[in-house]
């Protein structure tokens, strides 16, 4: 009975998407190679999985408007995480525990069991006395059409955890048991709660995997937990963590006690637009993460839903990144190699000296490009240097590498007439002789990577095609460039 309601609500939403998607494609801010929904609102990546030979991305989705509300799960598949085919919505609000216009089917994950694809998600509802979040299950034989489990919810908020701060289950299997980590808040401090189950349906609380003493906010959204090498990683997005939007901890897990002890912490991305990353293990054994390239209204730098809002859509994903463990147990986040398939118009320049007059360079059409810069630090006398990106001579994004103070900045105050703020982070220069920088620019985003992909800043910049000039400039002395390589990026989104 209720699964008929689910199907009706999916059909209704699908018809709405079909009626709006051509209009959304006309949007001037649409990304060319970063994942977006066909129309409407998108936030967190959900249920990422490599299943039956295809990459499946699900996503938090409001198909009816370009702002958040009544969460559905969108669904798309791909062979390479670049070329996408949209499938019917996987989940829509339909049950008392997930049917609310300010609730719905919130974030979660997926797992294959008994040949079926299972989605484990948070149902959010409100019976009149505040929001209630519970963990729920849906399953599918074909990986396209899902049935909600008749005995949902499978987990309710435990004693001491407010019912509106208990969400985002990430599930995995170890040995014969299933495990799940869930974001929660207790006494105004964040927690990652660990559950376990023998059959995926019946869950018992196991332990507090890790918790904040206040330094990482009051609520961890979208926790994710996975092994890498001989270590374990806990990732989360803290609410109330100041300018932090995505944190990782590296340590050890004791499967006997369900306790995670960590010795290393770091920022996955220091930018304003990287949130709620989720990971999955792919066919090549790579641990890949995908983040939501946007910000919430409760974040200090939030302004409004941005220029794409009026085009009938809002939100995109960051480029998928492969997680790699370093010798010192810190992590690197390297954009997937598949991106190279989109390269065109390669230009390589070598051995250049840059001074305080900006030196323009070609990079594809100046809007969508990939860039690799190698700087000879040993031969450089400049105090700092900057990349002046997506410029029209007036507006531009300024990415500065301050060698003297060992800091990096992404200044978008004057980048597009809308965006605000300047991100900052330390640079790991140490006694490095060569510094490498990578930039991925798309219609409305710029992702900058350095320090071997340990220091990353991803920010949205809503710049039209007229902002297509790019340059490099130094301050107080010469900058020695070993090489500057650029490629244009072929458009793959909105092409079908
Ligand atoms: C994170 C988040 C999750 C929640 C979802 C709702 O961005 O707030 O905690 O499940 O978005 O759309």
């Amino acid at each position: 009975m209720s699964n008929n309601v689910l199907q009706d609500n999916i059909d209704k939403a699908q018809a709405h998407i079909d009626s709006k998607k051509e209009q959304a494609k006309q949007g001037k801010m649409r990304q060319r190679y970063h994942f977006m929904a066909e129309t409407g609102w998108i936030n967190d990546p959900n249920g990422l999985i490599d299943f039956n030979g295809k990459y499946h991305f699900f996503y938090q989705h409001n198909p009816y408007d370009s702002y958040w509300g009544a969460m559905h799960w969108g669904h798309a598949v791909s062979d390479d995480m670049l070329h996408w085919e949209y499938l019917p919505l996987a989940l829509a609000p339909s049950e008392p525990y997930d049917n609310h216009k300010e609730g719905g089917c919130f974030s979660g994950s997926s797992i294959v069991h008994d040949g079926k694809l299972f989605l484990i998600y948070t149902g959010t509802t409100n019976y009149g006395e505040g929001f209630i979040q519970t963990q729920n299950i849906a399953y599918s034989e074909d990986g396209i059409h899902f049935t909600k489990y008749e005995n949902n919810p499978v987990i309710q908020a435990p004693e001491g955890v407010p019912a509106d701060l208990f969400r985002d289950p990430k599930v995995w299997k170890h040995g014969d048991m299933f495990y799940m980590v869930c974001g929660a808040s207790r006494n105004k401090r964040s927690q990652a709660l660990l559950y376990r189950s023998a059959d995926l349906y019946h869950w018992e609380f196991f332990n507090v995997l890790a918790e904040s003493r206040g330094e990482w906010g009051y609520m961890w959204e979208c926790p994710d937990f996975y092994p890498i090498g001989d270590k374990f990683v806990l990732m989360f997005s803290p609410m109330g963590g100041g300018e932090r939007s995505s944190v990782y901890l590296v340590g050890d897990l004791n499967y006997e006690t369900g306790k995670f002890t960590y010795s290393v912490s770091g920022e996955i991305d220091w930018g304003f637009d990287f949130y709620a990353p989720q990971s999955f293990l792919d066919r090549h054994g790579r641990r890949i993460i995908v983040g939501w390239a946007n910000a919430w209204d409760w974040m200090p730098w939030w302004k409004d839903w941005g220029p794409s809002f009026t085009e009938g859509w809002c939100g995109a994903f960051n480029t998928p990144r492969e997680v790699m463990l370093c010798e010192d147990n810190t992590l690197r986040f390297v954009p997937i190699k598949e991106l190279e398939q989109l390269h065109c118009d390669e230009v390589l320049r070598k051995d250049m000296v840059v001074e305080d007059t900006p030196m323009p360079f070609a990079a594809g059409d100046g809007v969508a490009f990939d860039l690799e810069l190698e700087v000879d630090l040993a031969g450089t006398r400049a105090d700092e240097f900057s990349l002046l990106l997506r410029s029209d001579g007036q507006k531009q994004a300024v990415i500065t590498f301050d060698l003297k103070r060992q800091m990096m900045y992404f200044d978008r105050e004057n980048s597009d007439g809308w965006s605000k703020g300047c991100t900052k982070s330390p640079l790991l220069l140490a006694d490095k002789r060569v510094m490498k920088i990578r930039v991925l620019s798309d219609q409305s985003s710029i992702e900058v990577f350095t320090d071997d992909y340990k220091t990353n800043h991803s920010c949205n910049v809503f710049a039209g095609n007229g902002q297509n000039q790019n340059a490099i400039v130094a301050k107080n002395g010469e900058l020695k460039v070993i090489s500057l390589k650029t490629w244009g990026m072929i458009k793959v989104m909105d092409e079908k």
Side-chain angles (χ1 to χ4, degrees):
M1 156 70 190
S2 55
N3 277 300
N4 291 337
V5 179
L6 171 61
Q7 194 55 50
D8 287 351
N9 289 351
I10 286 179
D11 293 346
K12 210 171 105 213
Q14 211 59 55
H16 189 82
I17 292 172
D18 288 341
S19 73
K20 293 282 183 193
K21 64 184 184 195
E22 288 309 317
Q23 187 192 327
K25 277 186 190 171
Q26 308 307 317
K28 292 194 165 42
M29 293 300 142
R30 294 285 283 175
Q31 295 281 57
R32 301 190 193 171
Y33 65 94
H34 285 78
F35 183 82
M36 299 167 292
E38 286 171 289
T39 176
W41 165 274
I42 177 173
N43 59 291
D44 312 349
N46 292 158
L48 308 179
I49 195 163
D50 191 348
F51 172 62
N52 278 352
K54 294 265 184 201
Y55 292 105
H56 289 247
F57 280 13
F58 299 86
Y59 45 96
Q60 287 286 281
H61 187 31
N62 179 3
Y64 293 107
D65 241 310
S66 35
Y67 49 78
W68 183 89
M71 280 294 109
H72 294 57
W73 276 39
H75 188 189
V77 289
S78 172
D79 292 321
D80 54 13
M81 290 179 269
L82 300 171
H83 299 81
W84 291 97
E85 180 192 345
Y86 294 98
L87 294 179
L89 299 177
L91 298 176
S94 65
E95 312 302 312
Y97 55 80
D98 66 13
N99 200 356
H100 194 276
K101 62 180 186 337
E102 289 160 58
C105 304
F106 276 20
S107 284
S109 53
S110 67
I111 192 165
V112 178
H113 175 50
D114 278 348
K116 294 195 198 72
L117 184 59
F118 282 77
L119 307 181
I120 324 279
Y121 70 98
T122 300
T124 299
T125 196
N126 193 332
Y127 301 111
E129 288 174 18
F131 285 96
I132 298 178
Q133 301 183 327
T134 54
Q135 315 320 324
N136 299 281
I137 287 179
Y139 45 82
S140 168
E141 302 270 349
D142 62 5
I144 300 176
H145 304 94
F146 290 86
T147 303
K148 290 182 184 171
Y149 176 46
E150 57 188 9
N151 292 328
N152 278 341
V154 294
I155 310 181
Q156 324 242 2
E159 186 83 38
V161 170
D164 61 341
L165 293 171
F166 178 55
R167 56 179 178 267
D168 310 335
K170 176 74 200 280
V171 75
W172 72 96
K173 194 171 187 192
H174 174 75
D176 290 338
M177 295 294 279
F178 295 98
Y179 294 82
M180 175 200 292
V181 59
C182 221
S185 182
R186 195 190 296 266
N187 300 326
K188 300 196 166 53
R189 299 278 159 93
S190 330
Q191 291 191 323
L193 301 183
L194 183 64
Y195 288 81
R196 63 180 171 181
S197 165
D199 63 2
L200 256 189
Y201 297 102
H202 302 88
W203 292 90
E204 60 164 357
F205 174 71
F206 189 13
N207 204 346
V208 176
L209 191 65
E211 61 196 320
S212 159
R213 292 162 302 154
E215 76 281 41
W216 284 305
Y218 66 87
M219 170 71 192
W220 286 345
E221 295 196 306
C222 300
D224 194 341
F225 191 74
Y226 51 88
I228 191 157
D230 59 353
K231 292 282 162 190
F232 285 86
V233 175
L234 177 66
M235 308 192 301
F236 53 81
S237 285
M239 295 180 90
E243 293 207 354
R244 293 198 161 99
S245 66
S246 51
V247 173
Y248 73 80
L249 309 177
V250 179
D252 301 294
L253 174 69
N254 183 340
Y255 265 116
E256 301 296 310
T257 59
K259 197 75 192 169
F260 171 66
T261 47
Y262 56 89
S263 49
V264 171
S265 71
E267 310 292 314
I268 303 171
D269 195 299
W270 299 80
F272 288 140
D273 297 294
F274 187 95
Y275 196 73
Q278 188 176 85
S279 86
F280 70 103
L281 195 62
D282 91 333
R283 61 196 71 172
H284 308 293
R286 295 180 295 181
R287 178 62 60 172
I288 292 171
I289 60 164
V290 180
W292 169 48
N294 224 326
W296 281 121
D297 45 3
W298 49 262
M299 293 179 180
W301 55 88
W302 186 83
K303 206 177 145 196
D304 59 41
W305 293 120
S308 80
F309 181 82
T310 50
E311 297 181 353
W313 66 283
C314 187
F317 286 170
N318 304 92
T319 338
R321 303 171 187 182
E322 184 180 349
V323 185
M324 295 181 184
L325 181 69
C326 304
E327 267 184 16
D328 61 358
N329 289 336
T330 59
L331 298 178
R332 311 163 60 208
F333 303 93
V334 186
I336 52 167
K337 267 177 66 66
E338 283 85 338
L339 284 167
E340 290 168 16
Q341 295 169 31
L342 305 184
H343 282 171
C344 60
D345 303 329
E346 177 177 321
V347 182
L348 171 64
R349 307 134 192 100
K350 285 185 136 170
D351 303 322
M352 298 180 301
V353 174
V354 180
E355 290 177 272
D356 57 3
T357 308
M359 191 202 79
F361 58 85
D365 70 346
V367 174
F369 58 86
D370 189 351
L371 171 160
E372 279 175 11
L373 172 68
E374 271 192 37
V375 167
D376 172 5
L377 283 186
T380 286
R381 297 287 163 263
D383 287 344
E384 61 175 64
F385 67 96
S386 300
L387 292 168
L388 314 174
L389 303 181
R390 304 293 311 281
S391 173
D392 59 3
Q394 312 223 299
K395 298 194 285 284
Q396 62 192 11
V398 182
I399 326 296
T400 298
F401 303 88
D402 185 332
L403 304 174
K404 205 169 161 192
R405 298 193 170 78
Q406 218 185 303
M407 291 294 291
M408 170 174 172
Y409 306 90
F410 187 136
D411 184 352
R412 62 174 189 183
E413 271 297 320
N414 181 35
S415 60
D416 57 10
W418 181 80
S419 299
K420 287 249 162 270
C422 181
T423 65
K424 71 168 184 222
S425 76
L427 279 173
L428 307 173
L429 293 179
D431 50 3
K432 235 182 241 169
R433 300 183 68 78
V434 175
M435 180 178 186
K436 292 186 188 172
I437 293 160
R438 171 96 179 266
V439 177
L440 287 165
S441 172
D442 200 344
Q443 189 74 56
S444 56
S445 68
I446 301 176
E447 296 167 283
V448 188
F449 307 85
T450 191
D451 294 331
D452 290 324
Y453 300 95
K454 289 187 194 182
T455 305
N456 312 315
H457 291 231
S458 298
C459 290
N460 291 343
V461 169
F462 293 94
N465 287 341
Q467 288 188 238
N468 60 355
Q469 298 160 34
N470 298 283
I472 181 167
V473 67
K475 199 166 164 186
N476 299 339
E478 292 183 344
L479 170 77
K480 282 203 133 175
V481 172
I482 301 170
S483 65
L484 173 61
K485 216 178 199 181
T486 57
W487 299 265
M489 294 297 271
I490 294 167
K491 181 169 187 272
V492 281
M493 295 309 293
D494 288 342
E495 287 297 88
K496 270 189 213 156

